[in-house]
Amino acid sequence: MAEEIDDNEFYRENFSADSDWEVFNAQLGEILQKWDVSADSETRNLKSEEIFSCNWKVERESLDMLRNGIEVEYHQAILEDEELARAEAKESTCLQRTSCHHDLMSTGNSFGPPIRSSQELHILARIYGLRRFIVLHPVNPTLNYMKSTSEFNFFLSAVAVVSAEVQSVVPIFVQIYDPKWNYYTGVALAPALRTNFRLIGLEKAPPECRFLMGLLTLFREKVPTSYSQAAMISVCITYALDTMRTRMPMYVPFDHGLSSEDIVVTGEVSHLEVQQFCALPHGYKPESRTEIYLVYTWPELSEHVAFDSEQRSDFVPSKAPLGKIYLSVEASSYLSCCLRDYQSVAEVTRSLESFVGRNFSGTSSGAEAASNPLDRITEHKLTKRRERSFELPAQAGLTKRLPGPMTESELSELLAYLFPDMHPEMALFPYAKKNFTDKFDPMRIKSAVPDSLVCRLSCLLATCHAHLGSVEGMAQVWAAFTRQLRLLWDNSLTVPGISAGFPDTRTCLLHQKLQMLNVCVERRVQREANSKRKSEGMVGKASSEEEEDEDDDEGEFFDCDDLTAGAGSPTKAVLSLKPEGRLRRLNNERLLEELDEYLYIPDTQEPVPKTEDQLQDDAEVMLKLGPGSGLTTQMMCTSLLSDMEAFKAANPRGIMEDFIRWYSPKDWEEVTDELGQVKHQLSIRMTTEGNTWQKVWEQAQAVPVSRQKRLFDDTNEALKVLHYLETRKMHEIYNLTIIPLLHSAILKLADILSNAKLEDLFSSQIGKLLSDLCRLSRSHSDDLPPVKPLLDDLAELERRFYQFKCFEQLSGYPKRSSLQQVKLQFEEILRNDNCCTIVNRRLTAAGDGTLYDILIPKLEEDMAERLISKDYIIRLDGNTKTPEKGLYLGPQFMRAIVTGEKLRLCGAFTESTAFV
């Protein structure tokens, strides 16, 4: 009530102003009307355990009330097959019965799994089995919770009034006391009925209230005497078995020290077996374990059938109609931890030089542009040095004076794994010669061939980051790797463990760069071999031909002269009609204007390889220049000009039509004239005015390939690749290696499952991981998509494998059960959310299952010590066939949870609001 002060300074209370209670009622009523809580028609019955397996929708609204506000939450289960609701609604003739009444009487959702899943179910849904309900609690309940009776009455009265005003059929609860106690009080309204929800907790309950007989007495005292039928009872008893631990010690490749975590080993030790070595750690942390619970259930009994007291109880495991085993696993794998730790490198923006120092590659300048490298490479001394066989002392400097946490010998061992051919005395893992098409489809994952150099390097970097020096060790390995590449280039040796051929854009960028480096080495070796053969041939000629030899030498070095004019330079054009650079004849084709001469295929330059980033840069340049730019035409027609010049040199009397017949036969069309004679002519795109092909043909001179400037400068491109790899920052190295790393990790896990003969059990999970990695690797965004969801799925699969190993031990494998029996039961665990049925008297007799025979003797030895909790539910319902309003008495529900001496009573008692 508002207070006012008049002119005479007397206090007055304004009884016409809205009170806090009325304001709260109005705000709460608006929220409930928006959520449409009055609709309850055509609601179907719940399926067995549907509450615990379905998805939930939660809506939230905040109200300005009390000290820090009130939050209103609307929890609603998302059920399937809502079409069945109409048919089931016609069968029920009781107009007063709501979905809340149905849920309280549903015996199929009485007991949920004892293990709390990742999608946490609200405690009210677990206790009462409600499909929808509303909860009111303070915005920050841990600091400002309701603890006084006046606050309880304030909100509970408001909830009752607002529910009646909006005709809500959804139960509304108010959270009271400390949230960790899970105390709720609430109300649910129906036509002429009101259901009150109350919770009571006792730290030390009377002995008779811990058993069914005492609870039935308490229940009957709360229920009106008008209920003449017997109450229905549901009982669930939970036991805990010994925690299972299967020790799988940590294995870190290239780490020869003994880990302190593996000195003390508890539990049975089981070493993981792998067929293919991978430079990633495996094993599980010592604290990994699997907790096992046995749950025996009596779903529905009459109160007169069962007896349960301090002296005698019928609720023992051997008499239970339904028994299930639940496995709760908490396992942490070293492989998943390694991958998660590697994610932090994505945030490191420091350069490689900040870790290993400048000039770590051994060059005078990191930019490679201070001096012309072509002058040094074309010296005869370099050719002689590359002719010598490779000597191991020449690479001793690769690991010296390189800052980092690893010693020279440790780094040499890692390099021997990456480059086994260069370290024959240390090489333990040579690259396989076979093809990996059965394990790798380049059309799917944008990675590299398994166990290739790219995959080995990616795994090695992640392992070094996790176990061998953190980011500093990772930078040290990358620097040593780039040093080795430069040494291979200087000695004209190809990079091992890389697929042959041009850069394959279906693979990752790092693999393409190394393929480009190999192409450069091959072109360089081929070019120098041709030069050597020419030099040897010139020595045997007469002294009168020395002048011609000098001309040939000048032609040989023409490739490296950047100041010389292009291929169309008149100074290098062949002015005579003497053919040069012929490869072979084109079948029996002859020139169109010189029928006496054959058409020869010229010797042309090889295609220009490009990596994915180079193709993207070219496309961006062309897009900026536009289609009409002369530079764009020059970029597109460089190879075409070279081929035309080679064709003119091989066929001096040839014309453009002859060139098209060889180069693009589809543009040499066959037509029929008016007289019916068959003729050939150029296509329309070749005869259009201003055609690019005609312009290039007119520009082309007769220059054989031996006198043309190289389209692909292998020296320059190789130095570009080396410079690219040496100047990467740490987060860029992460982007280059994360996809091959994840690919290798999935294949390693698949290898572990295969050696354990479990590939059929987890094949769907492995397939999903590979499919997700495929989408991740082929993302078109500039930034790499987050890999956390994939890592979570990978860690979950590893937890499942650990869970299987513990279940395998529990099942008595191999003495008392076969692997096939264990796998069949574990498939049920995968399907039923960590649950497996061990006894079901409705289908089979007790004792038919091997697991049942193993567990029951263990449980009967110390049954009292293994007991965790007893859960009793007592239900009583009125006559649901009554069609008249006011005759249905409503449901009565009480749940008792007994844990040792503690007791929690959860009641939902219905009373009639009709005044007769």
Side-chain angles (χ1 to χ4, degrees):
M1 291 176 290
E3 295 183 351
E4 297 180 355
I5 302 177
D6 60 6
D7 296 338
N8 297 326
E9 295 185 355
F10 284 100
Y11 288 93
R12 293 182 180 182
E13 293 186 354
N14 184 7
F15 290 93
S16 63
D18 294 334
S19 63
D20 294 340
W21 186 81
E22 292 172 322
V23 172
F24 177 76
N25 286 6
Q27 294 176 348
L28 182 60
E30 293 178 359
I31 294 175
L32 297 185
Q33 288 179 346
K34 182 177 67 173
W35 287 340
D36 194 17
V37 295
S38 61
D40 194 47
S41 60
E42 302 179 356
T43 301
R44 68 169 176 84
N45 294 329
L46 293 174
K47 299 178 183 178
S48 179
E49 298 185 355
E50 187 175 12
I51 285 292
F52 310 105
S53 60
C54 68
N55 296 323
W56 285 79
K57 176 183 178 183
V58 181
E59 300 181 56
R60 293 180 173 86
E61 294 284 347
S62 296
L63 300 177
D64 294 332
M65 197 66 191
L66 293 182
R67 292 176 291 274
N68 60 345
I70 295 295
E71 188 172 61
V72 186
E73 296 181 352
Y74 182 25
H75 297 257
Q76 187 174 10
I78 303 175
L79 306 179
E80 300 178 354
D81 302 328
E82 289 290 351
E83 302 82 24
L84 301 177
R86 298 184 179 181
E88 294 184 0
K90 293 179 181 179
E91 298 178 0
S92 178
T93 56
C94 184
L95 301 178
Q96 296 176 261
R97 213 164 189 238
T98 64
S99 62
C100 173
H101 300 159
H102 282 282
D103 298 343
L104 290 175
M105 294 295 105
S106 175
T107 58
N109 292 275
S110 300
F111 310 109
I115 305 171
R116 299 198 174 187
S117 60
S118 57
Q119 182 183 358
E120 189 64 35
L121 188 64
H122 198 280
I123 187 65
L124 290 173
R126 297 176 65 92
I127 291 177
Y128 296 107
L130 300 174
R131 74 184 71 188
R132 57 177 184 160
F133 53 89
I134 296 173
V135 181
L136 278 69
H137 62 81
V139 174
N140 192 357
T142 56
L143 300 178
N144 185 24
Y145 50 84
M146 304 180 192
K147 52 188 175 181
S148 64
T149 307
S150 60
E151 288 180 317
F152 304 162
N153 295 334
F154 178 93
F155 290 102
L156 197 59
S157 60
V159 164
V161 171
V162 174
S163 296
E165 289 179 354
V166 301
Q167 297 180 348
S168 171
V169 295
V170 179
I172 304 178
F173 294 86
V174 178
Q175 186 177 26
I176 59 178
Y177 298 120
D178 196 327
K180 64 182 179 182
W181 295 350
N182 288 324
Y183 275 96
Y184 296 87
T185 180
V187 64
L189 300 182
L193 294 175
R194 170 182 172 136
T195 303
N196 298 307
F197 296 87
R198 298 291 184 269
L199 272 76
I200 299 175
L202 299 176
E203 287 293 324
K204 189 174 183 179
E208 62 274 10
C209 291
R210 302 176 202 164
F211 298 90
L212 179 61
M213 296 298 102
L215 295 173
L216 280 172
T217 304
L218 184 63
F219 179 76
R220 282 297 181 181
E221 293 177 355
K222 294 287 296 182
V223 174
T225 56
S226 54
Y227 288 88
S228 58
Q229 66 272 32
M232 301 305 297
I233 301 168
S234 301
V235 181
C236 177
I237 301 181
T238 304
Y239 299 90
L241 295 183
D242 295 333
T243 301
M244 301 293 297
R245 296 179 185 271
T246 300
R247 283 292 294 118
M248 302 180 192
M250 177 178 66
Y251 170 76
V252 179
F254 308 108
D255 183 12
H256 304 294
L258 180 62
S259 175
S260 59
E261 296 177 333
D262 295 327
I263 296 177
V264 180
V265 178
T266 59
E268 183 180 347
V269 179
S270 175
H271 293 277
L272 295 178
E273 297 181 0
V274 292
Q275 185 177 2
Q276 180 68 43
F277 177 81
C278 180
L280 285 174
H282 60 247
Y284 291 84
K285 293 186 176 181
E287 60 268 19
S288 301
R289 66 186 184 276
T290 298
E291 297 178 353
I292 304 170
Y293 302 95
L294 287 179
V295 179
Y296 293 96
T297 307
W298 290 258
E300 192 171 4
L301 296 173
S302 174
E303 65 174 310
H304 303 303
V305 173
F307 185 85
D308 180 50
S309 67
E310 293 184 78
Q311 291 74 26
R312 182 177 66 86
S313 177
D314 293 335
F315 301 122
V316 292
S318 59
K319 297 181 180 180
L322 184 63
K324 295 183 178 181
I325 182 172
Y326 288 86
L327 279 74
S328 174
V329 58
E330 294 183 8
S332 181
S333 166
Y334 291 109
L335 175 59
S336 296
C337 293
C338 175
L339 299 178
R340 293 186 188 279
D341 291 343
Y342 194 62
Q343 277 188 285
S344 61
V345 184
E347 307 298 329
V348 180
T349 58
R350 291 176 57 184
S351 64
L352 188 62
E353 290 184 349
S354 63
F355 291 96
V356 296
R358 300 186 63 182
N359 196 26
F360 63 89
S361 61
T363 58
S364 58
S365 176
E368 293 291 338
S371 62
N372 189 358
L374 303 181
D375 296 336
R376 179 174 60 87
I377 290 177
T378 52
E379 293 177 359
H380 292 284
K381 293 181 180 180
L382 186 61
T383 303
K384 293 180 181 179
R385 179 173 60 85
R386 283 197 300 270
E387 289 175 357
R388 297 199 307 265
S389 61
F390 185 79
E391 299 176 359
L392 292 179
Q395 63 173 337
L398 287 176
T399 56
K400 288 184 177 180
R401 299 181 300 277
L402 194 59
M406 284 178 281
T407 63
E408 180 181 348
S409 60
E410 292 174 340
L411 201 56
S412 298
E413 186 179 8
L414 302 184
L415 290 177
Y417 172 64
L418 296 176
F419 303 95
D421 296 340
M422 315 306 294
H423 304 260
E425 78 288 350
M426 302 174 61
L428 299 177
F429 308 100
Y431 289 106
K433 302 298 181 182
K434 64 178 182 179
N435 199 353
F436 291 90
T437 55
D438 57 333
K439 294 184 179 179
F440 174 66
D441 180 9
M443 294 301 295
R444 297 186 69 238
I445 303 176
K446 199 176 179 64
S447 175
V449 177
D451 198 40
S452 63
L453 175 60
V454 173
C455 292
R456 290 189 179 190
L457 175 65
S458 303
C459 297
L460 206 56
L461 292 175
T463 301
C464 291
H465 178 265
H467 300 280
L468 304 177
S470 188
V471 185
E472 290 77 10
M474 173 185 166
Q476 188 180 13
V477 172
W478 182 268
F481 167 73
T482 56
R483 273 187 174 186
Q484 184 76 60
L485 293 181
R486 186 170 289 275
L487 180 68
L488 292 174
W489 164 251
D490 290 341
N491 291 272
S492 296
L493 298 173
T494 57
V495 181
I498 297 298
S499 300
F502 280 15
D504 189 354
T505 55
R506 298 173 298 178
T507 61
C508 62
L509 183 58
L510 178 58
H511 187 264
Q512 296 178 44
K513 291 293 183 181
L514 298 179
Q515 282 183 311
M516 174 66 83
L517 187 59
N518 274 353
V519 171
C520 295
V521 171
E522 292 170 359
R523 295 280 182 92
R524 180 183 190 179
V525 171
Q526 181 182 3
R527 175 168 51 84
E528 294 179 352
N530 294 336
S531 176
K532 183 177 180 181
R533 285 195 300 268
K534 285 186 178 181
S535 300
E536 292 176 352
M538 296 302 176
V539 174
K541 290 187 178 181
S543 58
S544 60
E545 298 177 356
E546 291 179 0
E547 185 177 352
E548 295 178 5
D549 296 340
E550 294 175 359
D551 295 338
D552 292 338
D553 292 340
E554 292 177 0
E556 177 63 29
F557 286 98
F558 173 75
D559 293 343
C560 300
D561 191 357
D562 292 338
L563 301 177
T564 309
S569 174
T571 59
K572 292 296 177 181
V574 180
L575 302 179
S576 65
L577 298 179
K578 180 182 178 181
E580 292 186 77
R582 288 180 172 180
L583 183 61
R584 65 178 185 274
R585 289 195 306 187
L586 181 62
N587 300 326
N588 292 322
E589 298 291 335
R590 296 179 181 270
L591 299 179
L592 295 178
E593 294 186 354
E594 299 291 338
L595 298 179
D596 296 337
E597 295 188 16
Y598 287 99
L599 178 61
Y600 286 89
I601 298 177
D603 188 8
T604 59
Q605 297 194 47
E606 295 184 14
V608 178
K610 286 185 179 293
T611 57
E612 188 176 25
D613 57 337
Q614 291 176 324
L615 293 174
Q616 185 176 358
D617 293 341
D618 292 346
E620 292 178 356
V621 171
M622 292 181 184
L623 188 62
K624 292 179 180 179
L625 294 176
S629 173
L631 185 57
T632 302
T633 304
Q634 181 180 353
M635 292 176 61
M636 297 174 59
C637 301
T638 303
S639 179
L640 178 62
L641 177 61
S642 172
D643 294 340
M644 284 184 173
E645 291 183 335
F647 182 84
K648 283 189 175 183
N651 303 277
R653 300 182 184 276
I655 58 177
M656 181 177 175
E657 285 78 358
D658 295 323
F659 175 77
I660 296 299
R661 289 163 59 197
W662 160 65
Y663 201 81
S664 181
K666 292 183 179 180
D667 288 305
W668 185 244
E669 298 177 347
E670 180 179 316
V671 296
T672 305
D673 59 6
E674 299 177 354
L675 301 178
Q677 296 181 354
V678 179
K679 294 183 178 181
H680 290 81
Q681 65 181 21
L682 294 176
S683 63
I684 297 178
R685 78 182 188 108
M686 291 295 176
T687 56
T688 304
E689 185 177 357
N691 183 271
T692 304
W693 290 65
Q694 294 180 356
K695 292 181 178 179
V696 176
W697 179 262
E698 294 173 358
Q699 179 184 355
Q701 305 270 341
V703 182
V705 67
S706 60
R707 291 190 175 90
Q708 291 182 8
K709 182 180 179 180
R710 283 182 290 167
L711 297 177
F712 177 72
D713 191 341
D714 50 71
T715 303
N716 189 32
E717 292 298 328
L719 295 178
K720 284 183 180 179
V721 172
L722 295 174
H723 177 68
Y724 174 86
L725 297 176
E726 292 167 352
T727 56
R728 294 303 91 191
K729 296 182 179 180
M730 301 310 296
H731 71 281
E732 294 173 334
I733 296 176
Y734 169 84
N735 293 334
L736 288 173
T737 56
I738 183 61
I739 298 299
L741 172 63
L742 294 175
H743 189 198
S744 301
I746 296 174
L747 294 182
K748 179 183 178 70
L749 185 55
D751 187 16
I752 293 175
L753 297 175
S754 177
N755 282 278
K757 300 180 181 179
L758 301 178
E759 62 273 10
D760 56 336
L761 195 61
F762 298 103
S763 59
S764 59
Q765 290 90 329
I766 291 293
K768 182 179 181 300
L769 287 173
L770 293 175
S771 299
D772 293 343
L773 181 60
C774 176
R775 289 190 292 269
L776 186 70
S777 65
R778 298 189 176 276
S779 175
H780 297 290
S781 60
D782 295 336
D783 298 331
L784 188 69
V787 299
K788 186 179 181 302
L790 182 65
L791 293 180
D792 292 340
D793 294 340
L794 184 66
E796 176 63 23
L797 181 55
E798 290 191 283
R799 281 193 294 269
R800 288 294 189 180
F801 174 71
Y802 185 86
Q803 187 182 37
F804 176 85
K805 300 300 289 186
C806 292
F807 183 73
E808 184 181 61
Q809 181 182 352
L810 177 68
S811 303
Y813 174 82
K815 295 181 179 180
R816 302 192 60 178
S817 60
S818 65
L819 181 61
Q820 188 63 27
Q821 290 176 328
V822 177
K823 290 167 67 174
L824 287 175
Q825 289 181 317
F826 195 77
E827 284 180 357
E828 185 181 354
I829 292 178
L830 295 177
R831 291 194 306 267
N832 299 334
D833 194 15
N834 301 310
C835 170
C836 174
T837 302
I838 59 175
V839 56
N840 190 345
R841 294 180 185 272
R842 299 175 180 177
L843 303 178
T844 60
D848 289 349
T850 305
L851 193 58
Y852 177 86
D853 297 334
I854 296 174
L855 297 179
I856 282 298
K858 295 181 180 179
L859 187 61
E860 291 179 348
E861 293 176 359
D862 49 356
M863 186 167 53
E865 289 76 7
R866 297 183 182 276
L867 178 64
I868 294 181
S869 66
K870 297 187 296 182
D871 206 340
Y872 301 94
I873 297 180
I874 306 174
R875 294 183 175 92
L876 193 59
D877 200 4
N879 185 8
T880 59
K881 304 298 182 181
T882 303
E884 298 183 14
K885 182 177 180 180
L887 298 181
Y888 175 58
L889 299 178
Q892 309 294 338
F893 175 96
M894 188 179 79
R895 186 183 197 123
I897 305 173
V898 181
T899 307
E901 295 184 349
K902 297 181 180 180
L903 172 66
R904 168 167 289 205
L905 294 176
C906 311
F909 297 100
T910 306
E911 59 185 8
S912 175
T913 58
F915 298 94
V916 181

